[in-house]
Amino acid sequence: MLTALVLSLAAQTAAPAPAEPATQFEFRTSATLEYWMLARTAAAGQSAPLRIEGMRHAVEIMRTAEEDGIALGAMGDAVFAQVASMEEAADLFAEAGERAAQDPLDPTRPGLELSREQRVARFSVFEEAARALASTEASFRSIHWLARQERQEKFAATLEAWYGEKQSAAIAFLLDGLGEPDPQRAIPIYLVTSMPSPGGWTVRTRSGPNCMVSLADHKGDLRTVAELAEIVVHEALHALEEMTGEPGFDADTPNLLRRRLATRDLPVASKRAAASAAIRQLPHAWIFAHTQATMRHVFGSDAPGYARTNGIYARMGETAEFLADAWRQHVATQLAAGESLAQGNEVFVEKVVEYLDRDRRPNILLILADDQGWADFSYLGLKDDVATPNLDRLAAQGVTMPQAYASSPICNPSRVGLITGRYQQRWNNYYYGGGLGLPAEAVTLAERLKTAGYATGYFGKVHTGGPDNGPGKPGFPMEQGFDRFFGTTCGGRVHYLHHSRAAQAEYGKAAAQMEVEPMWDDDEQIEWEGFTTVDWTDQAIDFIDRHPDRPWFTFINHNAVHNFAWQLPAEELEARGLEFVPDWNADEIGYREWYAKMHRRDWPEGRAYYLAQLECLDREVGRLIDHVDARGFADNTLVIYTVDNGGCVPDWADNGPLAGSKYHLLEGGTRVRSFVRMPGVFPEGRVHEGVFSCLDFAPTICELVGVATEAGAFDGTSQLAELKGDKRSDPNRTLHWDTGWQWSVRFGDWKLMVTENEQRAQASSNFEQVAVRLGTHLYHLDDDPGETNNLAETRPDLVALLTSRHKAWRASIGQPVKAGN
């Protein structure tokens, strides 16, 4: 709806055609409006401007205004619809700007939340754009308009025939929903070729509302007549709202809903948030629902409806969809009872209240960090240079697990294990260069949660497939149960700042190793520049906000604090007094030679960049958690924080008392800091001393949210009771790790580690600058968590027992090690 700003302008234009005896649709065309809408659509980036200099100039003016924070929106469209030329429109805007500059009602006038300066700025942009268009309007009319006008008039005739004699019945049905009599006026429907909008909009003017409907969608494809007919009905309902003064539902219905909800005990914050959302969405949801009801009951259309097929309900939220469905049921009930649609809304409201009061499954927020050191949390007090206040807070609010493990010492295999709850070796995924990544037959946690009605979103780094991972490939998130994806699939060393074709061209031969491929936005690649840690958090927040009333699974896979940590925004470097460090230049040095110099051994001061990335990660985790809490989801959201593998010591992580690093199977390579938070479920501040595997997250989540699973679904086990403190952990639990050339078993407090391929182990050690232990090693971790005392020679019985168990495990997973691992 347009505000008072346009009212004063439209009042000076010609009045609409004389009203017919009864309200009806009146289809119109306008060359001036068409020219303006084409420029608006081009300025919105939804089409290229016509090859007319005045239009190109106008588009640039509008784009510059948007960059300067002057959001034009639909403001002023009514003026262009009702004037005879661009010159006339420009004069009207000039006069309006002069009046606004002298307006004593500052900073705002009733119904218009704009300061005097903002109004003057908007009028100035409209005037400037209109004069640019006026300079070549004659060219537009002579070259482009006649064919467009002919098309619009044909569509108008087709729509008039489509509605036929049922047009009056449709308007009567719409008015019945409003509970108002026929205002006996025409509803002007201006057809335009395109507009920066999904379908159309209705503009309020002093002389009455004007509806504008686009013949083409945002992709430029012509709409079907049936879809256009529904959009016309939708906009006509908006127009009738203006004519009758009724905002959708009768005014008492939202108030009735508020009173009913006030009498209910809605102790869970998420339910209260959903109730507030329902009250806000009621009028908008009703518009879509009553439109579809009109199409069904008057025209006999069984189509799913514009709102559903274009994802509008998905953007509004599940409550809006429920409201629309409940209204359709209400319509059928009222019609069957012979009552008007405006009657009996108490029944409808009761349905809404029951829906909001239902038990809702918990939300799941899974945050995965990359390569973070086991000692790099400030709450531990192990390192003086670490500051992680938000992670400390999260740990204090839930249960920490000092004996939590990733299923691999490197990222790709461990991520497959995490998302499936199964040993990744089942698919021959042992280490770099082998295996199938995440195969199509694997069942992910996202797929299981979708069966329970969850919205599922994946944000960040994907490292569960090959470098060509994309749509149609099994490792691509949208092939594995995720509805929404924003992130990268290029591999492990994802660039923190650049992801575009321009970056690929700039990096040249280094582009593949520096991993600057374009960002994925669902199944389309986009040009992106920014900071992954911040932007992936923004996308996760947006996903959460789009599902206020539907359980969601948000999986955010940060690149931080993986190497190359020096890739920081300029402001982050400046804030810490850090110098800019260039990436690899393939024209100056070989990759392996350059890579060898960019580790702790040759560049110990690199830890300052690692800590900067850690601080940014901590800040963004805090922002995400604060947002969840502010939305009222805290009580009904399981928050998990974990790391994909042990800290990468050569890249400045610190694993404290643990030996080893990422890449190998000492404790420093597989043990990861993990914690869970859900008030009322997990005790605050509890330390869970039992052994926990990342394979346990999927079955634990499924038990918590009530998702049934088949026998043998997981290799991990639900630890829900153990994390709550209701059950003692199994003291003799057995876990297995296997890289194909080195393997280990943990049985209770005992750990056996065996290096079978010493040549492969040494090659990994040399390239990644990690110390490796060859041969057979047996440790008692309770007495020796730093793995300093090898007991293999004194306890050959345990070596034999655990070796036998690992051989049996290899046989049980049905996938022997293949050459290349």
Side-chain angles (χ1 to χ4, degrees):
M1 298 300 141
L2 242 166
T3 55
L5 183 60
V6 174
L7 300 183
S8 59
L9 293 170
Q12 303 174 48
T13 62
E20 295 293 329
T23 299
Q24 61 180 349
F25 304 144
E26 185 177 278
F27 295 100
R28 301 179 183 179
T29 63
S30 165
T32 302
L33 177 63
E34 176 74 0
Y35 197 17
W36 169 249
M37 282 300 181
L38 289 172
R40 288 254 285 116
T41 305
Q46 295 179 4
S47 69
L50 296 177
R51 298 192 175 196
I52 300 176
E53 190 57 37
M55 182 168 172
R56 290 175 175 173
H57 187 196
V59 167
E60 186 59 35
I61 290 169
M62 286 187 274
R63 285 178 178 168
T64 302
E66 292 284 350
E67 292 172 0
D68 292 340
I70 305 173
L72 300 179
M75 186 140 330
D77 292 352
V79 173
F80 292 100
Q82 298 183 68
V83 296
S85 68
M86 284 291 171
E87 199 64 50
E88 183 182 349
D91 291 341
L92 286 173
F93 286 121
E95 295 170 10
E98 292 173 2
R99 288 195 301 275
Q102 301 169 4
D103 190 349
L105 298 177
D106 190 65
T108 61
R109 90 172 36 166
L112 185 64
E113 297 179 356
L114 291 174
S115 68
R116 177 168 49 206
E117 289 74 16
Q118 288 172 320
R119 294 198 299 276
V120 171
R122 283 192 172 187
F123 283 133
S124 175
V125 173
F126 279 121
E127 179 194 356
E128 190 179 359
R131 294 210 188 280
L133 292 169
S135 67
T136 48
E137 185 173 13
S139 296
F140 168 74
R141 288 175 180 266
S142 62
I143 299 173
H144 300 277
W145 168 238
L146 293 179
R148 294 174 186 274
Q149 182 183 29
E150 182 180 0
R151 175 186 288 177
Q152 291 172 12
E153 288 176 349
K154 284 183 178 179
F155 266 98
T158 302
L159 285 168
E160 287 174 352
W162 194 93
Y163 288 115
E165 298 177 356
K166 294 186 177 181
Q167 184 180 142
S168 297
I171 293 173
F173 192 86
L174 295 173
L175 289 166
D176 187 21
L178 289 168
E180 289 292 317
D182 191 338
Q184 305 283 299
R185 293 175 62 183
I187 301 176
I189 310 289
Y190 285 93
L191 298 179
V192 294
T193 300
S194 64
M195 62 192 300
S197 164
W201 53 56
T202 298
V203 183
R204 175 164 52 94
T205 72
R206 188 166 297 172
S207 58
N210 287 303
C211 304
M212 301 176 195
V213 174
S214 174
L215 302 180
D217 61 21
H218 67 285
K219 295 181 179 179
D221 299 326
L222 284 177
R223 303 183 190 279
T224 65
V225 173
E227 186 177 48
L228 277 172
E230 183 180 347
I231 295 171
V232 168
V233 169
H234 181 103
E235 298 305 325
L237 183 51
H238 278 300
L240 288 170
E241 285 185 300
E242 294 294 336
M243 291 178 179
T244 62
E246 286 295 327
F249 274 115
D250 62 289
D252 287 337
T253 304
N255 293 331
L256 178 61
L257 180 56
R258 287 188 184 92
R259 290 195 297 272
R260 288 293 175 84
L261 288 170
T263 65
R264 300 295 254 258
D265 181 17
L266 298 176
V268 179
S270 59
K271 289 185 179 181
R272 296 195 297 272
S276 297
I279 294 169
R280 291 193 307 271
Q281 293 170 353
L282 194 61
H284 201 188
W286 178 83
I287 290 287
F288 285 107
H290 195 37
T291 298
Q292 193 175 350
T294 304
M295 299 300 291
R296 177 178 290 113
H297 291 283
V298 177
F299 298 103
S301 172
D302 290 326
Y306 176 76
R308 202 175 297 273
T309 56
N310 285 272
I312 294 173
Y313 289 134
R315 293 193 292 273
M316 291 174 66
E318 189 184 44
T319 295
E321 188 164 9
F322 172 81
L323 292 171
D325 289 337
W327 175 257
R328 285 191 288 274
Q329 295 174 19
H330 175 64
V331 167
T333 301
Q334 296 302 108
L335 290 178
E339 298 177 353
S340 72
L341 300 185
Q343 295 174 331
N345 278 345
E346 287 194 13
V347 176
F348 168 74
V349 167
E350 200 58 42
K351 290 181 181 179
V352 176
V353 172
E354 290 175 1
Y355 169 78
L356 295 172
D357 201 19
R358 77 199 188 287
D359 288 333
R360 168 178 163 161
R361 297 179 191 266
N363 304 310
I364 309 297
L365 173 58
L366 176 52
I367 305 169
L368 184 65
D370 200 319
D371 291 4
Q372 185 178 356
W374 195 76
D376 288 330
F377 295 79
S378 52
Y379 79 91
L380 298 171
L382 297 176
K383 301 298 297 180
D384 294 337
D385 58 354
V386 174
T388 55
N390 293 293
L391 293 176
D392 298 350
R393 170 168 56 104
L394 185 60
Q397 292 172 342
V399 178
T400 58
M401 294 172 276
Q403 295 202 81
Y405 289 91
S407 64
S408 171
I410 62 169
C411 41
N412 181 305
S414 76
R415 292 166 187 268
V416 173
L418 174 65
I419 198 62
T420 62
R422 309 208 79 184
Y423 281 114
Q424 62 276 358
Q425 292 90 347
R426 288 183 177 277
W427 303 293
N428 199 29
N429 191 334
Y430 288 84
Y431 206 70
Y432 300 125
L436 303 173
L438 185 62
E441 64 267 23
V443 181
T444 68
L445 177 60
E447 290 174 303
R448 295 185 186 280
L449 292 175
K450 276 180 69 70
T451 65
Y454 276 75
T456 54
Y458 190 115
F459 306 95
K461 170 180 180 175
V462 177
H463 198 193
T464 52
D468 62 343
N469 193 6
K473 299 296 178 66
F476 194 67
M478 300 188 81
E479 306 293 337
Q480 290 287 358
F482 288 96
D483 306 316
R484 173 79 177 111
F485 170 49
F486 189 92
T488 65
T489 61
C490 43
R493 297 183 176 93
V494 173
H495 206 288
Y496 285 88
L497 305 175
H498 309 301
H499 286 280
S500 65
R501 291 174 180 84
Q504 288 177 312
E506 181 180 346
Y507 276 80
K509 290 182 289 185
Q513 290 287 3
M514 302 316 297
E515 298 188 5
V516 293
E517 71 163 16
M519 191 77 72
W520 286 101
D521 187 350
D522 286 339
D523 57 358
E524 295 183 9
Q525 286 191 298
I526 63 170
E527 305 293 286
W528 175 91
E529 299 287 318
F531 185 25
T532 55
T533 309
V534 172
D535 289 5
W536 290 342
T537 301
D538 287 340
Q539 291 292 328
I541 287 173
D542 178 72
F543 177 75
I544 290 169
D545 285 346
R546 289 176 182 270
H547 301 93
D549 39 30
R550 178 182 176 188
W552 43 259
F553 170 40
T554 301
F555 188 18
I556 181 164
N557 292 251
H558 281 293
N559 191 42
V561 286
H562 196 285
N563 68 359
F564 308 120
W566 58 82
Q567 295 168 350
L568 286 155
E571 61 271 19
E572 299 291 352
L573 293 172
E574 183 179 356
R576 296 166 176 82
L578 298 175
E579 295 183 358
F580 170 78
V581 177
D583 290 327
W584 174 47
N585 187 327
D587 295 327
E588 296 180 355
I589 189 173
Y591 179 74
R592 294 180 72 91
E593 182 183 357
W594 170 82
Y595 184 74
K597 296 178 180 179
M598 304 307 291
H599 293 300
R600 183 191 293 267
R601 183 184 65 191
D602 297 317
W603 188 33
E605 58 269 29
R607 181 162 166 88
Y609 294 87
Y610 167 92
L611 292 174
Q613 291 284 6
L614 181 56
E615 289 172 8
C616 294
L617 172 65
D618 178 82
R619 181 188 66 212
E620 293 306 301
V621 170
R623 184 162 69 93
L624 180 57
I625 299 300
D626 287 344
H627 188 80
V628 168
D629 295 352
R631 290 300 307 269
F633 293 139
D635 293 342
N636 201 40
T637 299
L638 170 63
V639 179
I640 299 171
Y641 184 89
T642 190
V643 186
D644 63 339
N645 44 246
C648 189
V649 174
D651 292 321
W652 312 289
D654 197 307
N655 291 328
L658 302 183
S661 168
K662 173 186 178 178
Y663 303 117
H664 296 178
L665 290 177
L666 288 166
E667 289 292 282
T670 55
R671 201 184 289 201
V672 293
R673 290 286 173 189
S674 301
F675 21 90
V676 296
R677 186 198 81 166
M678 188 173 182
V681 176
F682 298 116
E684 183 175 312
R686 182 173 184 272
V687 178
H688 174 63
E689 296 289 358
V691 173
F692 186 96
S693 168
C694 76
L695 305 179
D696 299 334
F697 279 124
T700 300
I701 290 170
C702 286
E703 182 182 358
L704 174 69
V705 305
V707 172
T709 57
E710 70 280 11
F714 303 110
D715 293 319
T717 59
S718 174
Q719 300 290 307
L720 184 60
E722 288 85 345
L723 291 172
K724 289 180 177 181
D726 296 339
K727 181 181 178 182
R728 182 171 176 263
S729 297
D730 180 2
N732 295 316
R733 188 173 187 193
T734 303
L735 293 177
H736 296 266
W737 293 267
D738 201 325
T739 68
W741 46 269
Q742 185 181 65
W743 59 265
S744 64
V745 180
R746 175 159 182 175
F747 169 62
D749 288 329
W750 289 98
K751 174 182 174 180
L752 176 66
M753 183 179 72
V754 178
T755 302
E756 292 184 327
N757 187 331
E758 296 188 355
Q759 182 179 2
R760 178 72 183 271
Q762 196 62 60
S764 171
S765 174
N766 294 340
F767 183 68
E768 300 296 354
Q769 299 180 17
V770 177
V772 62
R773 295 184 186 178
L774 306 178
T776 299
H777 296 259
L778 179 70
Y779 301 106
H780 189 273
L781 295 177
D782 188 45
D783 298 330
D784 182 22
E787 297 173 290
T788 60
N789 185 18
N790 185 3
L791 302 174
E793 291 186 2
T794 61
R795 292 299 306 269
D797 56 324
L798 277 174
V799 172
L801 173 65
L802 297 182
T803 300
S804 174
R805 288 195 174 188
H806 193 68
K807 288 181 178 179
W809 171 80
R810 279 182 171 173
S812 73
I813 64 172
Q815 186 65 264
V817 182
K818 295 181 180 179
N821 281 297

